[in-house]
Amino acid sequence: MVNLGSKKPPLSSVILIFRIPYYTQWGQSLLISGSEPALGAGNVKQGLGLVPVHQGEELIWHGKISVPIGFQSEYCYYLVDDNRNILRWEAGKNRKVSLPEGIKEGEVMEIHDLWQPASEALFLKSAFKTVIFGGSLNSDPKFPFETNQTDENQEDSIVVLFKISCPTIEEGTSVYVTGSVSQLGQWRIEDGLKLNYTGESIWESYSVVRKVDFPIKYKYYQSCNQRGASMEIGPYRELALDMTSGSIPKYVALSDGSFRAIPWRGAGIAIPMFSVRSNDDLGVGEFLDLKPLVDWAVETGFHLVQLLPINDTSVHGMWWDSYPYSSLSVFALHPLYLRVQALSEKIPLDLKKEILLEKERLDRKDVDYEATLAAKLAIAKKIFNLEKDEILNSSSFLKFLSDNEEWLKPYATFCFLRDFFGTSDHSQWGRFAQFSKEKLEKLISKDSLHYDVICFHYYIQYHLHLQLSDAAAYARRKKVVLKGDLPIGVDRNSVDTWVHPNLFRMNTSTGAPPDYFDKNGQNWGFPTYNWEEMSKDNYAWWRARLTQMAKYFSAYRIDHILGFFRIWELPDHAATGLVGKFRPSIALSQEELEREGIWDFDRLSRPYIRQNILQVKFGARWTVIASCFLNEYAKQCYEFKDDCNTEKKIIEKLGLRTEKSLWAGNEVEVQRGLFDLLQNIVLIRDPEEQGKFYPRFNLEDTSSFQDLDDHSKNVLKRLYYDYYFHRQENLWRQNALKTLPVLLSSSDMLACGEDLGLIPSCVHPVMQELGLIGLRIQRMPSEPGLEFGIPSQYSYMTVCAPSCHDCSTMRAWWEEDEERRYRFYQNVIGSNDEPPSQCTPEVANFIIHQHLLAPSMWAIFPLQDLLALKEEYTNRPAKEETINDPTNPKHYWRYRVHVTLESLLKDEDLKITIKDLVISSGRSYPTSEAEIKNKQQVENIQSKISSIQFNGD
């Protein structure tokens, strides 16, 4: 701890005093860690410890050091425990301190900081800095301390540096400070102190203030020629100094955080790329369709377009590959989204006719995944054969190949081997089953017979890159954020598992425990991650993924963010998602259970199958089922035979032709019954650690549990609750704080986390701390005891939506349950009338406007929900608009919007309806010079709703 008592500084040194208000809990303190030895040289344990003092209602932490003239350093504040273990740190980039020119030996400089919360740092992300507010600042940075002023040397004066962050400032705006002293205009707007832009959204200037004028009261304001001046909201700021101490500062540097404005709120639309329909597409939405989609977003008042994953998923060579979350490669783009007409300006006439015929053939209600992909690749191959020499030798292509060779060469080789062997299961590839760079170089050699095949995959990815880059640049120019999607897993038969098998636990499968979507849980089939191995190179694979995404997107959704805290891990022989365990988690040890009087582990961990259970479940067929699948190991006690003792083995045996006649027409019922028997356990044995057990999810629902004695039931219920809701919280928090910061620092994209499902209590605090925006779906409230979420009570750091791709649309949900519809109509809409049987435009208008009015930073709407605002677009059966059915592992992802983008762009009524809703909610929307009056209308509305409570950081 640095001595804070009075001590004469050495010659050629000055004194730096740091001050920051921060409330701590018992056992916590603040310290500063910086790049110079005086601040620990990057070692938090050696940083400058601060001490607290109460100042009015604030707790001020402060510390003092002597530094040489010319001292410069980067630094950051940390919250630590008594052993200086890090509990929390500031968001955003490191701070910088440099002494002003002209400072003299022995003089004092005070630095008054405010903690940088993650919510403020979000506005420095590319979604805001480059897109929404991109190009706003054209002036060169200026540095306010560089010029000496004669007033600086006055003995009765103090030089005060005012510094404010204005990340949401618009072009043509200047920043000022006004206050109680003459140097700040004495609250006269026209005489305020103008600040200089110094880069990174920071505005600074200094003023020389007499000591007798302290304390100073002040506020910042912005001034624009078109709209005049706007003062920051909230109480005035105050700078008070202790004039009685022996260290009266000559310089005071104020770091006042962000300009206090009504929180910025935006709106967006969500639609999968494959679902878009345009006049130019060939059977499916294409990357270049993003341009008219962006135009429609702008004209309806939206700042964001959100897509599902767009990576190549061509694993099986059939419609199963329509599942966008099962990546063949986390780097390669999907050939499905290629516009073949844009491949060349010299397409022959006969090929143009072929394209037109295919467009007509594939212009269907839904996507025909297999036919569309086959048609595109066939046409692309013909164009490639015509111009391959010209393209492959072009400087643009060669640069693309050089920039992306780390992933592109293995990807192209994988595609060749997949097609050659007729399977993506690389374990079936003989000597190529094991990846090596030496084998790769031979396979991609220009001398190989299949070199053209390899180059064709390069060619496809090159044009996909050009087309998506073109669309992304167009969105940036229109101030529309493109938001991508980061899948939690990869297919077990993927390029990534082939090249990096050490990064995956290939004998496991990823899923989710039972939840709103499926009472049996979900099994996604992906191998879980080997986080221990990934950490050895600081998660280079993840960092590369995020870097690649950032080439096209300025925001992204982290799919199943809970997986970065803990993942639901299943054995690879499981077909459902029920009998799993969390990884990592603290298992129940055999010793722990024995201390509690639990000892019959075989009884608790093997399927509990008794004759009476079979008779109830299968009725008269129970003897047939038992003879086929079970052995009687004791009187009226059964166990599964070896050929059907897993879920996948049961599925395989049920499909055998020789035995199908025994349960013809009842396969689904029999399978479900057998699965129930297999899952009728209380404890799951750890397959890797002997003597470790995990409580089965919803164990109280099993007859195995119900037949236990009362003591065992009470013990197991208590241990179950502890395992799922208490035991792991600190472990999961630490796990997320190892991995998520690496992801977030890997790119400049704005990150949102899909935090639906069984949410551990550690998740939301960590997300808030890291600046991760959560998701709120009204029909799936995270608050206990609520049937419907209350958008007006959502915290600011959220995305709110009435529905998402993983659930039914607003219209379909309305029609699903009559009693629920009554409750929503009465409790949310506030009407005792009989609700309409369908989601009318009036109902859709209410729900959409309710979400737009929410305090959430973003309100994002599936395009289908927006189309419900106009009766003309509700003729299609509502169920057909659903994108995904999470309960069906073989769901066909093929929904297409039934109206083209060109038609939507011509529909002025719908555009006006939506834009009026956005404007009336006070949300920001893309503007041009001609729309400044409408912008003023928005700001007037924003001021009226400023009483809304914006929760969160």
Side-chain angles (χ1 to χ4, degrees):
M1 181 71 71
V2 173
N3 183 6
L4 296 174
S6 59
K7 184 177 180 181
K8 185 176 180 180
L11 293 177
S12 71
S13 68
V14 297
I15 294 174
L16 273 182
I17 298 176
F18 295 90
R19 294 170 56 89
I20 184 170
Y22 192 94
Y23 285 102
T24 58
Q25 297 177 359
W26 184 260
Q28 298 177 343
S29 62
L30 289 189
L31 62 77
I32 297 173
S33 177
S35 56
E36 294 299 306
L39 297 176
N43 184 343
V44 175
K45 297 275 189 181
Q46 301 299 318
L48 171 65
L50 307 182
V51 295
V53 61
H54 286 280
Q55 183 175 306
E57 295 183 355
E58 290 187 314
L59 184 65
I60 306 295
W61 290 82
H62 64 105
K64 179 167 64 175
I65 55 172
S66 295
V67 297
I69 292 176
F71 175 82
Q72 293 183 346
S73 181
E74 293 188 356
Y75 69 99
C76 180
Y77 289 94
Y78 290 84
L79 179 70
V80 297
D81 62 18
D82 289 337
N83 295 317
R84 293 204 167 195
N85 297 311
I86 298 172
L87 302 175
R88 191 184 182 195
W89 61 90
E90 289 187 289
K93 295 183 178 180
N94 283 345
R95 301 171 183 268
K96 295 179 181 179
V97 57
S98 58
L99 302 183
E101 290 187 5
I103 193 169
K104 298 176 182 177
E105 292 181 11
E107 290 185 330
V108 177
M109 179 177 176
E110 273 192 11
I111 298 173
H112 292 224
D113 286 325
L114 294 176
W115 185 274
Q116 297 178 157
S119 57
E120 290 185 6
L122 294 186
F123 289 97
L124 301 177
K125 297 293 185 179
S126 59
F128 295 104
K129 182 175 65 176
T130 306
V131 182
I132 296 175
F133 299 102
S136 297
L137 301 171
N138 299 315
S139 57
D140 294 328
K142 299 176 182 178
F143 301 96
F145 268 169
E146 286 188 349
T147 303
N148 289 323
Q149 298 287 326
T150 56
D151 288 343
E152 286 182 19
N153 300 318
Q154 295 178 5
E155 290 299 323
D156 64 344
S157 299
I158 294 174
V159 181
V160 180
L161 173 69
F162 295 90
K163 176 180 176 182
I164 192 74
S165 174
C166 301
T168 60
I169 200 167
E170 294 188 347
E171 191 170 4
T173 303
S174 299
V175 182
Y176 297 79
V177 61
T178 184
S180 58
V181 296
S182 59
Q183 294 89 336
L184 304 182
Q186 292 182 321
W187 300 112
R188 293 188 301 273
I189 295 294
E190 63 273 14
D191 295 329
L193 175 66
K194 186 175 183 179
L195 307 186
N196 299 312
Y197 178 61
T198 60
E200 296 295 327
S201 301
I202 300 297
W203 296 74
E204 302 180 20
S205 192
Y206 70 89
S207 182
V208 181
V209 182
R210 295 182 305 164
K211 293 179 182 177
V212 296
D213 289 332
F214 285 88
I216 302 171
K217 294 179 174 62
Y218 64 98
K219 264 191 173 185
Y220 296 94
Y221 66 95
Q222 298 179 4
S223 180
C224 176
N225 292 334
Q226 292 93 338
R227 292 191 296 277
S230 58
M231 190 77 68
E232 65 175 341
I233 63 173
Y236 57 73
R237 302 172 187 261
E238 183 172 2
L239 172 60
L241 299 175
D242 183 3
M243 297 299 182
T244 63
S245 71
S247 299
I248 300 175
K250 181 63 181 177
Y251 299 87
V252 176
L254 300 175
S255 182
D256 277 328
S258 290
F259 187 90
R260 297 187 312 222
I262 295 172
W264 186 97
R265 298 179 305 138
I269 57 174
I271 189 73
M273 192 71 260
F274 58 79
S275 297
V276 173
R277 187 186 295 270
S278 75
N279 291 337
D280 295 323
D281 70 51
L282 197 160
V284 70
E286 298 166 347
F287 288 145
L288 290 177
D289 289 326
L290 288 171
K291 289 185 174 183
L293 183 60
V294 163
D295 288 338
W296 189 79
V298 171
E299 293 185 27
T300 48
F302 293 130
H303 260 303
L304 180 145
V305 170
Q306 177 174 322
L307 305 175
L308 293 188
I310 54 172
N311 296 108
D312 191 355
T313 58
S314 307
V315 176
H316 304 284
M318 59 180 297
W319 65 264
W320 289 359
D321 296 335
S322 66
Y323 180 33
Y325 287 91
S326 186
S327 305
L328 177 81
S329 165
V330 300
F331 300 99
L333 300 172
H334 205 309
L336 191 69
Y337 305 128
L338 183 72
R339 176 155 296 166
V340 292
Q341 304 95 304
L343 289 177
S344 174
E345 296 178 352
K346 299 176 288 187
I347 299 177
L349 185 60
D350 61 333
L351 205 46
K352 288 181 178 179
K353 290 180 179 178
E354 182 180 342
I355 293 172
L356 290 174
L357 289 172
E358 291 290 9
K359 276 175 55 65
E360 183 177 353
R361 180 174 72 91
L362 295 168
D363 187 20
R364 302 177 182 180
K365 182 180 71 173
D366 296 313
V367 177
D368 186 332
Y369 181 92
E370 295 171 55
T372 300
L373 183 59
K376 289 196 172 197
L377 291 177
I379 293 168
K381 188 63 177 292
K382 293 174 182 178
I383 300 173
F384 169 75
N385 289 334
L386 292 172
E387 61 174 28
K388 62 184 178 183
D389 292 336
E390 178 183 349
I391 294 295
L392 297 181
N393 291 306
S394 67
S395 58
S396 174
F397 172 81
L398 292 173
K399 183 179 187 308
F400 170 77
L401 181 60
S402 174
D403 290 345
N404 297 278
E405 60 181 349
E406 281 296 314
W407 66 264
L408 183 57
K409 289 180 177 178
Y411 164 77
T413 306
F414 186 99
C415 291
F416 162 71
L417 291 170
R418 172 200 62 196
D419 298 341
F420 180 83
F421 287 101
T423 178
S424 291
D425 182 356
H426 36 82
S427 68
Q428 306 300 311
W429 290 355
R431 65 189 184 93
F432 298 112
Q434 304 298 321
F435 173 85
S436 74
K437 289 189 176 181
E438 293 74 19
K439 294 174 187 175
L440 177 70
E441 291 303 320
K442 290 180 180 179
L443 286 166
I444 63 173
S445 167
K446 291 184 178 181
D447 299 329
S448 66
L449 294 175
H450 52 264
Y451 181 65
D452 273 6
V453 178
I454 297 288
C455 287
F456 176 63
H457 295 293
Y458 295 162
Y459 171 84
I460 293 294
Q461 288 299 313
Y462 168 64
H463 278 285
L464 286 165
H465 165 73
L466 292 179
Q467 293 180 16
L468 182 54
S469 297
D470 184 20
Y474 185 83
R476 284 194 295 272
R477 290 196 299 272
K478 293 283 188 173
K479 298 189 180 299
V480 172
V481 172
L482 274 192
K483 182 179 178 182
D485 199 318
L486 183 75
I488 186 63
V490 301
D491 198 284
R492 63 178 61 251
N493 296 319
S494 66
V495 183
D496 301 279
T497 58
W498 181 52
V499 177
H500 307 289
N502 58 315
L503 302 184
F504 304 91
R505 289 170 51 81
M506 296 299 290
N507 63 335
T508 67
S509 186
T510 307
D515 58 10
Y516 174 91
F517 297 117
D518 194 336
K519 64 182 179 65
N520 293 309
Q522 298 175 54
N523 187 333
W524 302 323
F526 315 134
T528 57
Y529 294 120
N530 186 342
W531 290 109
E532 295 79 6
E533 190 69 25
M534 287 179 162
S535 68
K536 293 178 181 178
D537 59 5
N538 194 28
Y539 309 97
W541 181 78
W542 283 103
R543 288 185 285 112
R545 286 184 72 176
L546 271 296
T547 301
Q548 184 72 7
M549 276 191 78
K551 293 178 180 179
Y552 314 110
F553 298 105
S554 51
Y556 66 108
R557 168 189 178 272
I558 302 176
D559 173 45
H560 193 63
I561 197 170
L562 303 184
F564 294 92
F565 292 79
R566 82 294 185 271
I567 200 72
W568 187 246
E569 187 176 72
L570 302 151
D572 60 354
H573 56 69
T576 68
L578 183 60
V579 186
K581 62 182 179 65
F582 288 124
R583 180 178 177 85
S585 66
I586 304 168
L588 305 177
S589 69
Q590 183 170 326
E591 294 77 15
E592 178 183 7
L593 289 163
E594 287 175 343
R595 284 197 301 270
E596 297 280 2
I598 304 296
W599 56 271
D600 194 349
F601 302 108
D602 190 55
R603 154 71 176 83
L604 296 171
S605 61
R606 70 188 297 185
Y608 182 72
I609 308 172
R610 300 295 182 263
Q611 183 173 310
N612 64 311
I613 296 174
L614 293 173
Q615 290 171 334
V616 171
K617 189 169 292 293
F618 297 108
R621 287 201 306 269
W622 82 267
T623 55
V624 175
I625 299 296
S627 65
C628 287
F629 294 92
L630 306 170
N631 292 321
E632 187 175 12
Y633 67 90
K635 188 176 181 180
Q636 298 186 359
C637 297
Y638 294 83
E639 63 182 2
F640 277 95
K641 295 179 179 180
D642 290 343
D643 66 345
C644 54
N645 59 3
T646 71
E647 291 176 356
K648 287 186 176 178
K649 286 181 180 179
I650 289 172
I651 294 172
E652 184 178 353
K653 187 163 185 175
L654 282 169
L656 292 176
R657 185 178 304 175
T658 55
E659 299 182 0
K660 270 190 174 182
S661 60
L662 298 175
W663 42 77
N666 297 294
E667 289 91 342
V668 174
E669 179 185 344
V670 172
Q671 177 179 300
R672 182 64 263 165
L674 291 169
F675 278 11
D676 287 344
L677 294 178
L678 195 64
Q679 297 161 354
N680 192 21
I681 58 175
V682 175
L683 295 178
I684 300 170
R685 286 185 183 271
D686 192 310
E688 298 173 7
E689 289 190 70
Q690 189 174 357
K692 301 291 185 181
F693 299 88
Y694 305 89
R696 203 213 84 162
F697 199 90
N698 288 343
L699 56 79
E700 290 184 62
D701 294 343
T702 67
S703 58
S704 177
F705 177 87
Q706 292 160 7
D707 284 356
L708 292 172
D709 62 89
D710 288 342
H711 170 76
S712 297
K713 285 181 181 179
N714 292 332
V715 168
L716 289 166
K717 279 196 290 187
R718 176 165 48 81
L719 293 175
Y720 173 90
Y721 190 82
D722 179 62
Y723 177 85
Y724 281 100
F725 300 104
H726 291 294
R727 189 184 189 99
Q728 329 289 345
E729 292 294 331
N730 190 52
L731 172 65
W732 291 343
R733 180 183 184 276
Q734 292 174 352
N735 199 52
L737 289 175
K738 288 178 185 176
T739 56
L740 285 173
V742 177
L743 264 71
L744 299 178
S745 64
S746 298
S747 78
D748 209 19
M749 293 183 289
L750 178 69
C752 304
E754 183 265 295
D755 54 346
L756 304 176
L758 183 67
I759 309 294
S761 59
C762 64
V763 171
H764 288 151
V766 168
M767 290 181 66
Q768 188 176 25
E769 185 172 329
L770 297 179
L772 277 159
I773 303 168
L775 178 61
R776 299 294 176 267
I777 304 294
Q778 188 172 26
R779 71 188 71 168
M780 293 179 276
S782 55
E783 303 86 352
L786 286 182
E787 183 178 16
F788 311 112
I790 306 173
S792 63
Q793 296 181 8
Y794 293 158
S795 64
Y796 179 63
M797 294 281 287
T798 56
V799 171
C800 68
S803 63
C804 65
H805 69 272
D806 271 332
C807 61
S808 54
T809 61
M810 196 165 62
R811 287 178 58 221
W813 178 81
W814 188 264
E815 298 175 11
E816 284 170 358
D817 188 322
E818 182 179 0
E819 293 183 1
R820 184 181 61 195
R821 181 167 68 236
Y822 268 91
R823 293 192 298 272
F824 185 89
Y825 206 65
Q826 182 177 41
N827 299 329
V828 178
I829 295 181
S831 173
N832 290 320
D833 297 337
E834 182 177 346
S837 59
Q838 294 185 326
C839 183
T840 63
E842 291 75 21
V843 170
N845 189 299
F846 176 89
I847 296 173
I848 289 170
H849 198 214
Q850 184 188 36
H851 283 76
L852 285 167
L853 286 170
S856 303
M857 177 187 283
W858 289 100
I860 299 178
F861 303 92
L863 182 57
Q864 306 96 300
D865 289 353
L866 294 171
L867 295 181
L869 288 166
K870 190 168 183 179
E871 192 168 359
E872 176 185 337
Y873 300 125
T874 61
N875 295 326
R876 186 174 184 174
K879 285 186 177 181
E880 293 182 1
E881 292 184 336
T882 299
I883 293 166
N884 176 37
D885 175 6
T887 67
N888 179 7
K890 294 300 181 185
H891 174 74
Y892 195 168
W893 297 62
R894 63 188 315 196
Y895 165 73
R896 294 195 77 190
V897 179
H898 56 286
V899 58
T900 65
L901 291 171
E902 291 79 5
S903 297
L904 287 177
L905 282 165
K906 293 176 183 178
D907 190 334
E908 296 298 328
D909 291 341
L910 180 63
K911 288 191 295 185
I912 291 171
T913 297
I914 296 174
K915 192 164 187 177
D916 283 348
L917 286 171
V918 176
I919 292 174
S920 66
S921 71
R923 288 189 178 268
S924 178
Y925 68 95
T927 59
S928 64
E929 291 289 333
E931 292 177 303
I932 206 70
K933 291 184 178 179
N934 287 338
K935 184 67 173 175
Q936 286 176 311
Q937 181 184 356
V938 170
E939 290 173 345
N940 290 336
I941 294 165
Q942 282 181 324
S943 65
K944 292 178 183 177
I945 65 168
S946 61
S947 59
I948 292 179
Q949 179 63 41
F950 288 87
N951 300 314
D953 262 340

